[in-house]
Amino acid sequence: MNGLTVEHIPVLAEKLAEQINLPPDGVMVDATIGHGGHSLLFGKILGPEGVIVGLDVDNNAICRAQSILKDLICKVILIHSNFSQITEYVRKQGIEKVDFILADLGICSAQLADAGMGLSFQTNMPLDMRIDKRLKTTAADIVNKADEKSLADLIYNFGQDRASRRIARFIVQQRRQEPITTTGQLATIVCKALKRPGQKRKIRIHPATRTFQALRIAVNNELDNLEKLLASAPDLLRNNSYIAVISFHSLEDRLVKNNFKKNEGHSIYRVITKKPIVPTREEIAANPRARSAKLRIAQKV
Ligand SMILES: C[S@@+](CC[C@H](N)C(=O)[O-])C[C@H]1O[C@@H](n2cnc3c(N)ncnc32)[C@H](O)[C@@H]1O
């Protein structure tokens, strides 16, 4: 499966639209264009003077978004790039200030289903995890080459798995027998590491979820990229404009929360969401991917 046919429902779209006032001639930067779901929604508010600049590290996403946004009357500029360099790419378009920056972090359902991405533990795929294929290091490189302590630290720091040392030990034992090259192999090793005799507790998430999250964050430098985006935003935003970030785990959400708070302390932002906006039960039922989403919005003052 190449993931191109998987449907993507934009998360928290209605709640986001309720909070953001975008003028018809506004400039929106969709830092994670994905399937263009959120951009399509806001693009309908924009007139012929309006602009959407869409970024994505996945070139397939850029192609998908191009076809989804083709009927909008505003100008649409799509760039295969990392949002860590948002300022450089926006300024290259001759745009000095923008009215709205949106980052809907993580991955789309299509990417999870795409065997070429190697992100899923539900289906057996080559263990890759690079969303941007220009990156050099794959998850298989890390799993087969990192020493046991570094692996354990990575799984603990980015996956918040308290069994990180045990998982790392099992990985190192297994790779002595044969290299770990598929997501299926890795998922089986993690399950074995976490299996305790007589364990009765019902596990809510797949045992490999945290290890896979940790590797994906490491391979794609996700937290560093987010920090760079957050640091760049104030200079790009016009007064009274907005930044909105949808995150899917506490490591990302903490960075966003602290950045907004710090900027509010320096009278740069007014935080609109004192508590993060989360999906309703109905939204989660219709779109399970929304389950862990948290939306935070700030306004440049
Ligand atoms: C959840 S999807 C976005 C979905 C989109 N909001 C929509 O409604 O269709 C996240 C997207 O962000 C992209 N992405 C992840 N990290 C990125 C980064 N550092 N720079 C640019 N794009 C990134 C992924 O490739 C993916 O396409």
Side-chain angles (χ1 to χ4, degrees), residues 42 74 84-85 115 130 215 217 262:
F42 284 98
C74 64
S84 60
Q85 292 164 282
R130 289 169 306 152
L215 282 165
I217 291 176
K262 183 188 83 189

Side-chain angles (χ1 to χ4, degrees), residues 99-134:
D99 299 278
F100 178 30
I101 297 174
L102 170 66
D104 173 20
L105 302 172
I107 50 167
C108 307
S109 323
Q111 291 168 327
L112 198 58
D114 185 346
M117 288 283 171
L119 290 161
S120 174
F121 47 74
Q122 309 281 9
T123 320
N124 198 22
M125 310 172 167
L127 185 60
D128 188 322
M129 297 201 188
R130 289 169 306 152
I131 300 172
D132 187 342
K133 295 302 177 202
R134 296 170 296 192

